Amino acid sequence: MNEEILEPDLPIIDPHHHLWDLRPLMGAFPEPRHDFLEALIDNAYYTFDQIHAHATSGHNVIGTVFMECGAFYRADADDAMKVVGEVEFVNGVAAQSASGLYGDLRLCAAIIGHADLLAGEKAAPVLEALGDASPDRFKGIRHQGAWDADPNVLGAPFHAPEGLYRDASFREGFKQLGRQGLTFDAWVLEPQLPDVIDLARAFPNQPICLDHCGTPLNIASYRGKLHERFDIWRHNIHELAKCENVTIKLGGLAMAFCGLPEKGPAAGTSSEDLAAMWRPYIQTCIEAFGTDRAMFESNYPVDYWGAEYPVLWNAFKRITQGASADEKHALYAGNAARFYGIEHILPKR
């Protein structure tokens, strides 16, 4: 869908996207595939050229943050250290972008990797190895905890155990993040938000970012229940916002899990329609966290299910039309730069 780019000069740091090559893995998943996997077929190969094309499609994206996704793990390392391969790969993509040969955009200016925190204290050397793989760009990890009793909600390839963030071994590993000055990204589904609240309260000095507005659900046994569960979601978002160590990412709503819209992929939904669907969630998050602890994200290519890249950012800009210049600077770039330690890429104001 071709739309005029709104506020084309507004600087954006896209704080959440992936890079991967899923083509060798697609045959491992049984037919019919889950909607999540169906949404990725057209973007099963997504590396430098693809994210660069999206980030330069009209909006003023000045930098991005890579989010772990289990890609390009080391084949010849022991199980704990395989994850280092992902950071090594992404650091090369970041170096390619930082060469300046492709413009001023700084892709993967920050890198969020993965380590198995269930390893407890043994996670520490893995975190150190991740830092060694990218000393200037590695900023933290995500250990996703998405789980639901209905296996059709997530489908393959997600295998997080129930109650991961409350597990004693996980929390012993979680302590290692603070000791090394690293951030933590949390991904759970809406019914699991109390687990993040409990984790944030237990570690009040650990910077945590909740991904994807807490992932409201409109899939499988939750289909048609967005309105019914909205007040539950809103209550938990406000409770989590009381934890001053937590920041929230505004996005992820175009995922197949959320069903906003239900039809994908990239169904040609306009930014006006997307803004109308997303506004109750995004405005609630900003109301709860304020404009200094929230950041807009693309979650690409996963959110290609329901939103083309330039249209997605147009939808966000429609929602924040009444915000001040300072508030927009914070929501679109400043907060991401501060949380992930990449303030050096911000333009001088």
Side-chain angles (χ1 to χ4, degrees):
M1 171 174 287
N2 293 322
E3 288 191 359
E4 179 182 354
I5 301 298
L6 304 178
E7 301 180 76
D9 296 328
L10 179 64
I12 293 171
I13 292 176
D14 182 349
H16 196 112
H17 71 83
H18 308 291
L19 301 172
W20 53 38
D21 187 353
L22 301 177
R23 295 172 300 179
L25 305 176
M26 281 297 181
F29 299 113
E31 299 281 357
R33 294 191 182 99
H34 188 278
D35 283 352
F36 171 79
L37 290 171
E38 287 296 328
L40 300 182
I41 289 176
D42 290 338
N43 290 281
Y45 182 72
Y46 198 79
T47 57
F48 178 90
D49 288 346
Q50 289 72 33
I51 184 60
H52 186 272
H54 283 136
T56 57
S57 58
H59 293 279
N60 184 23
V61 180
I62 61 172
T64 73
V65 177
F66 168 83
M67 183 57 54
E68 69 84 26
C69 52
F72 303 106
Y73 281 8
R74 286 181 178 176
D76 57 354
D78 63 47
D79 287 346
M81 289 293 181
K82 289 182 183 295
V83 297
V84 177
E86 182 172 53
V87 172
E88 290 174 325
F89 165 74
V90 178
N91 194 54
V93 173
Q96 183 178 358
S97 178
S99 71
L101 294 175
Y102 307 88
D104 294 333
L105 169 64
R106 293 296 175 259
L107 295 172
C108 309
I111 298 173
I112 303 304
H114 173 71
D116 183 5
L117 297 186
L118 284 170
E121 290 185 351
K122 293 181 180 179
V126 179
L127 297 173
E128 292 169 0
L130 291 168
D132 290 342
S134 183
D136 297 326
R137 299 186 180 100
F138 174 67
K139 304 296 181 179
I141 73 151
R142 180 174 71 165
H143 190 148
Q144 68 92 5
W147 174 90
D148 195 81
D150 179 357
N152 295 317
V153 171
L154 283 164
F158 301 104
H159 304 291
E162 180 182 5
L164 173 66
Y165 291 173
R166 297 177 185 266
D167 183 273
S169 296
F170 173 89
R171 292 193 172 191
E172 189 59 39
F174 194 80
K175 291 178 184 177
Q176 311 309 314
L177 299 177
R179 292 168 183 168
Q180 297 192 29
L182 299 172
T183 65
F184 181 75
D185 266 72
W187 180 44
V188 297
L189 307 180
E190 173 265 307
Q192 298 176 279
L193 285 173
D195 289 357
V196 185
I197 295 168
D198 191 77
L199 182 67
R201 288 172 176 169
F203 296 89
N205 296 317
Q206 172 61 47
I208 297 172
C209 188
L210 176 69
D211 296 344
H212 313 329
C213 295
T215 317
L217 295 173
N218 187 20
I219 195 170
S221 55
Y222 293 90
R223 190 170 298 280
K225 296 183 178 180
L226 282 171
H227 180 73
E228 175 184 330
R229 296 192 61 86
F230 185 83
D231 286 345
I232 300 170
W233 168 85
R234 178 171 55 190
H235 170 77
N236 285 323
I237 287 295
H238 277 273
E239 283 299 305
L240 183 59
K242 294 176 183 177
C243 301
E244 295 184 358
N245 56 321
V246 180
T247 296
I248 193 165
K249 282 181 180 166
L250 309 171
L253 298 173
M255 290 191 293
F257 305 120
C258 304
L260 291 165
E262 290 190 31
K263 183 181 178 183
T269 308
S270 70
S271 62
E272 293 96 330
D273 290 341
L274 291 172
M277 283 186 277
W278 299 347
R279 185 174 283 110
Y281 293 96
I282 288 175
Q283 286 187 336
T284 297
C285 290
I286 295 175
E287 174 187 275
F289 283 85
T291 56
D292 59 343
R293 287 193 291 137
M295 61 182 86
F296 284 105
E297 58 163 335
S298 76
N299 190 35
Y300 245 60
V302 183
D303 274 36
Y304 181 78
W305 172 257
E308 297 171 6
Y309 197 89
V311 176
L312 177 147
W313 290 103
N314 268 359
F316 294 154
K317 290 175 178 179
R318 291 185 185 280
I319 294 170
T320 60
Q321 189 173 16
S324 70
D326 286 344
E327 289 171 333
K328 290 178 182 178
H329 172 78
L331 291 167
Y332 287 93
N335 295 338
R338 184 180 67 253
F339 187 86
Y340 290 114
I342 52 174
E343 290 162 303
H344 62 281
I345 73 170
L346 288 172
K348 293 182 180 179
R349 301 182 71 199

